[in-house]
Amino acid sequence: MGTNLTIGKAINAGLRASMEHDPKVLVMGEDVGKLGGVFRVTDGLYKDFGADRVIDTPLAESGIVGTAIGMAMRGYRPVVEIQFDGFFFPAANQTFTQLAKMRRRSAGKLSMPVVMRIPYGGGIGAVEHHSESPEAYFTHTAGLRVVTVANPEDAYWMIQQAVRSDDPVIFLEPKRRYYEKAEVDTAAPIEEATPMGAARVARHGTDVTLLAYGPMVKTALQAAEADTDHSIEVVDLRSLSPVDYPTIVESVKRTGRLVVAHEAPLSGGPGGEIAARVTEECFYHLESPVIRVAAFDTPYPQSRLEEHYLPDLDRVLDGVDRAFAY
Amino acid sequence: MSDTTAHEEPELIQLLTPEGELAGHPDYPLDISAEEIRALYRDLVLVRRVDSEAVSLQRQGELGLWASLLGQEAAQIGSGRALGERDMAFPSYREHGVAWCRGIAPKELLGMFRGVTNGGWDPHEHGFHLYTIVIGSQALHATGYAMGVQRDGAVGEDGTAVISYFGDGATSQGDTNEAFNFAAVNNAPVVFFCQNNQWAISESTERQSRVPIYRRAAGFGFPGVRVDGNDVLACLAVTRAALDNAREGNGPTLVEAFTYRMGAHTTNDDPSRYRASAELDEWKAKDPILRVRRYLENNGLADEAFFASVDTEAEAIGEQVRSECRGLVDPEPLDIFHEVYAEPNVQIDRQRSEFAEYLASFEGAGAEGGR
Ligand SMILES: Cc1ncc(C[n+]2csc(CCOP(=O)(O)OP(=O)(O)O)c2C)c(N)n1
């Protein structure tokens, strides 16, 4: 028995379920109350849970994350919304020096069950600072879990898993995919959902593994569909930190090739780290070097150029071709 | 608990009432000719027209986004016309009226909202920095610039003053508060110009501040003043006084222009979700343009021919904005790699040539996109 939901609505339903399940769960951020967030992801929560649990905060990201840390110390489980990727940076200090390190510093006496929801990535024709892919900043920081979703099913369950986690979770929402729709079995028990740390084979294939996450999963699936010369296996990474290497390695050992695609800039991006690790673990199975398809090492460009900046279907297919050129 | 909350209305500096009568203020005498007032009226009408044209262009899909200044014309023209040639302004993203006063052509602004540029004008040429999207950042830039002005010895009667624009929401940011403090301890020649348009997207001023915003300045050790932000004469007089004070070496002032954002936050926003239409009606009665027109009419300082000529000019500007917007050409794909670094950069060079080669591989391939 399924409900047809978009990714945005699925996160909304997941937040609602989390708030019903645990009275300590709070939602806070800019415009999350009456407006329901600029993407309407918190729509209706203010009306049903009230101003004490859905907090319209002052316009201050450092304040939002810093007070969420304090609330977590007091036993609450805050889910903060950062309005857009580029506005996370004012909260960088609180996130990196405090949120990520609190458990370790307190020798395990303090947990930080804080979720930071961030709409991220490009492709919506926005002005600057509204389209960035800052995931590498997070994955470079020990103490944070970093996850992202690519379909409504994951959106619904993973937000609930993130809220239940005692670790701080950076929950990246692919904004250009908010309106993707699918059936979600909202009645299933949460224990049966795929754990949020696990990668998932989204499409089986035999010739090459195409690894993607968040907004690029759809593009990867389209590439697999379009390429009639090769049998492409698509793996949806889901968790960027920690990375589920066993699932990736198993796939690469079968296909012998790996292409990693992401919207984040190439250098220092998640693709490089994955390429290095897979090379270590699959050296004798690889028929070609690991290929990365990514955005360029430039600032996110003005929107009239973003179609060239973001890896699209053609660039992903070009990456696949490069893997077969060896 | 404090005796004043943010929404309470303390005394506003007002020189021209909504009915179009000169009120005058002992602390802010304004020596201004009828001709100058007519020029201000013209500015107000023309920037409103640029703005409304841009809103329609967004609706027609010609712009990705637009942040309308509707209702805030007097705050922007009043303060913008108070600036001297050497002064430097640091705007946020809604300061189209100030941009107008600084000689930035509307098409430069349109280019940014169309996604053709990221700004791109020369801030030094115009005394007008680039639009700043990350809230509050520019208040620190303005303060640092003003500290540079001090070190250059450019303070004094013919000195340079700096002005930073931001909204009421921005006063919640650490950056803005740090700017207040840096400016105060350094006695920097900077004016903080807050356009309190009552809303930060869906959040009212009360979600940002427990006290009226202008009073925050006292805690940092410099004066704060609240001016009727829909009164172009008051905005001009108060900003001019604050700038002169800064330029003469007396340090910062916070000017809170009490005004109203009559439209949506941006063309992506739906204000009916969070505010009542009665509020809008109340503010419409305080329209910044209407009161100047009433004043000019009631005192016989402008005739029908003058108003008609301004309207004709507005028509022409509207037409110009439309055609210039449609005429803006998209950048070339390889522009992505331009102006990232001042020095040659091998990493960027390599990515650029690889991408050029990739693009060239489609040439002659016939169908768009290759495959
Ligand atoms: C650091 C940061 N956080 C969030 C945003 C998203 N945002 C854009 S405008 C805005 C409201 C700004 O309100 P205010 O400062 O009062 O200025 P106004 O738009 O009313 O002129 C928000 C939250 C942003 N641009 N920068």
Side-chain angles (χ1 to χ4, degrees), chain A residues 29-36 38 40 43-44 55-62 83 86-87 90 125-130 227 229 266-267 295-305 308-309 312-318 321, chain B residues 61-65 112-118 131-135 169-170 172-174 200-203 207-208 268-270 273-274 330-337 340-341 347-348 351 355 358-359 361-362 368-371:
Chain A
E30 296 155 11
D31 305 291
V32 298
K34 258 190 196 161
L35 186 67
V38 293
R40 309 288 185 260
D43 200 15
I55 307 168
D56 264 333
T57 65
L59 207 179
E61 287 75 10
S62 181
Q83 204 158 70
F87 311 142
V127 292
E128 60 178 347
H129 310 301
H130 289 74
D227 188 340
D229 298 338
L266 182 77
S267 299
F296 305 114
D297 295 340
T298 65
Y300 196 93
Q302 52 271 52
S303 62
R304 291 278 170 150
L305 287 177
H308 297 289
Y309 175 85
D312 61 359
L313 182 60
D314 282 324
R315 263 171 66 200
V316 172
L317 289 170
D318 178 66
D321 287 347
Chain B
E62 298 289 340
L63 297 176
L65 183 84
M112 182 169 175
F113 287 96
R114 189 175 166 94
V116 168
T117 68
N118 279 336
Y131 273 7
T132 311
I133 306 271
V134 183
I135 303 286
S172 294
Q173 284 285 352
I201 311 188
S202 74
E203 297 192 15
R207 288 308 301 161
Q208 310 294 340
N268 278 344
D269 174 45
D270 171 13
R273 288 180 74 103
Y274 53 82
D330 284 358
E332 292 297 323
L334 292 179
D335 282 358
I336 288 174
F337 302 96
V340 183
Y341 296 97
Q347 193 170 314
I348 295 286
Q351 288 189 11
F355 189 51
Y358 168 79
L359 290 173
S361 74
F362 291 109
E368 201 168 289
R371 283 163 200 268

Side-chain angles (χ1 to χ4, degrees), chain B residues 172-362:
Chain B
S172 294
Q173 284 285 352
D175 276 8
T176 308
N177 288 277
E178 291 175 27
F180 289 173
N181 200 35
F182 271 66
V185 301
N186 290 293
N187 204 43
V190 57
V191 174
F192 297 110
F193 194 92
C194 175
Q195 288 170 81
N196 177 0
N197 65 11
Q198 313 303 323
W199 292 95
I201 311 188
S202 74
E203 297 192 15
S204 65
T205 309
E206 290 92 278
R207 288 308 301 161
Q208 310 294 340
S209 188
R210 186 64 203 255
V211 299
I213 283 163
Y214 77 99
R215 282 206 199 150
R216 296 250 198 116
F220 289 94
F222 58 90
V225 48
R226 183 179 271 186
V227 58
D228 182 342
N230 286 18
D231 173 352
V232 70
L233 299 186
C235 288
L236 175 67
V238 167
T239 312
R240 189 178 276 165
L243 288 165
D244 284 345
N245 199 48
R247 109 172 71 248
E248 281 157 22
N250 301 320
T253 304
L254 170 61
V255 177
E256 177 191 0
F258 203 73
T259 181
Y260 193 71
R261 183 243 290 160
M262 301 222 268
H265 168 69
T266 65
T267 42
N268 278 344
D269 174 45
D270 171 13
S272 71
R273 288 180 74 103
Y274 53 82
R275 74 182 187 193
S277 58
E279 188 183 287
L280 180 59
D281 295 338
E282 193 187 311
W283 280 91
K284 269 187 185 156
K286 303 179 191 168
D287 189 290
I289 299 185
L290 205 56
R291 71 175 74 180
V292 182
R293 183 173 182 129
R294 282 183 181 144
Y295 170 75
L296 290 171
E297 281 174 348
N298 294 348
N299 295 281
L301 299 174
D303 54 15
E304 272 315 306
F306 167 75
F307 293 116
S309 77
V310 174
D311 289 345
T312 309
E313 212 180 339
E315 277 306 312
I317 287 221
E319 171 54 39
Q320 184 191 333
V321 163
R322 281 195 300 277
S323 63
E324 284 184 346
C325 181
R326 296 203 168 93
L328 289 167
V329 277
D330 284 358
E332 292 297 323
L334 292 179
D335 282 358
I336 288 174
F337 302 96
H338 293 171
E339 286 124 16
V340 183
Y341 296 97
E343 309 281 339
N345 185 294
V346 288
Q347 193 170 314
I348 295 286
D349 290 349
R350 177 177 174 160
Q351 288 189 11
R352 179 175 33 215
S353 56
E354 281 173 357
F355 189 51
E357 215 173 288
Y358 168 79
L359 290 173
S361 74
F362 291 109

